[in-house]
Amino acid sequence: MIGILAVQGGVREHELVLDELGVQHRQVRRVEHLNGLSGIILPGGESTTMSKLLELGGLLRPLIDALTSGLPAYGTCAGMILLASEVLDTRPDARCLGALDITVRRNAFGRQVDSFEADLDFHGIDSPVPAVFIRAPWVERVGDGVEVLATVPSGPASGAVVAVRSGRVLATSFHPECTGDARVHEMFLAMVSEAGYVHEV
Ligand code: GLN
């Protein structure tokens, strides 16, 4: 059972990908929805709003505890921001989950290219992955043990780090759930199978 954090943002797109892959899923809005999960997806949306709603709903601490206990997680865009240990260009009261030792910059691509598409070489996937960036963050620092899986290939943001993995946690600046290519989700599901974790609240 895969959870999809559903306090705000693009939940439906991830549900459709998991449906296509024949994977059971459940929306996570309250603490009890974490029970029995083998993995969780944090969707795109607006990270500061998600942070506020997580705090107000009492889900912030239980989610941090679940990630610390070993619940595998995949964050897209705002989900990547939430998983980070440090966030630049955010609100001073925004909280993050600290599951990935990375520094991300919100809305990093600037106005001219703030939304764009690119085909990315993605470590572990054998042909280029189409990527949709929507007011996306990029990764400015990766800590020890964090593997860079993809960078922007060309253009003004060439070289920017946009996909990372550390242990059971995967994050992309972009939205594979919007392209019809399920291979990044399949990579996450392989991590989930390998972890063999079931969360108990
Ligand atoms: N710019 C958004 C944020 O800072 C993220 C955008 C997205 O998830 N597509 O939260």
Side-chain angles (χ1 to χ4, degrees), residues 3 90 130 157 159:
T90 192

Side-chain angles (χ1 to χ4, degrees), residues 44-47 77-78 81 106-107 134-135 175:
E46 215 294 315
S47 57
C77 202
I81 296 169
R106 285 180 67 228
N107 304 328
I134 306 167
R135 293 182 59 72
H175 296 275

Side-chain angles (χ1 to χ4, degrees), residues 74-78 80 122 137 162-164 170-177 184:
Y74 172 33
T76 59
C77 202
M80 172 192 255
F122 199 110
V162 290
V164 292
L170 176 69
T172 59
S173 303
F174 55 91
H175 296 275
E177 72 279 15
V184 180

Side-chain angles (χ1 to χ4, degrees), residues 26-106:
R26 165 203 303 157
Q27 295 191 359
V28 175
R29 298 172 191 278
R30 293 194 300 276
V31 177
E32 56 267 35
H33 299 152
L34 292 169
N35 200 39
L37 295 185
S38 293
I40 188 164
I41 292 176
L42 282 62
E46 215 294 315
S47 57
T48 64
T49 306
M50 286 188 198
S51 155
K52 189 165 289 174
L53 293 172
L54 285 173
E55 273 190 294
L56 288 173
L59 201 50
L60 186 72
R61 194 70 242 173
L63 196 50
I64 292 172
D65 290 344
L67 296 167
T68 308
S69 308
L71 179 67
Y74 172 33
T76 59
C77 202
M80 172 192 255
I81 296 169
L82 281 177
L83 288 170
S85 54
E86 187 184 17
V87 183
L88 306 175
D89 290 344
T90 192
R91 291 169 50 107
D93 60 348
R95 305 286 304 272
C96 51
L97 302 166
L100 271 175
D101 182 15
I102 57 173
T103 302
V104 300
R105 186 177 297 280
R106 285 180 67 228

Side-chain angles (χ1 to χ4, degrees), residues 103-125:
T103 302
V104 300
R105 186 177 297 280
R106 285 180 67 228
N107 304 328
F109 291 91
R111 275 168 183 268
Q112 279 185 340
V113 287
D114 74 0
S115 297
F116 65 104
E117 295 180 27
D119 290 330
L120 306 178
D121 286 334
F122 199 110
H123 192 255
I125 297 180

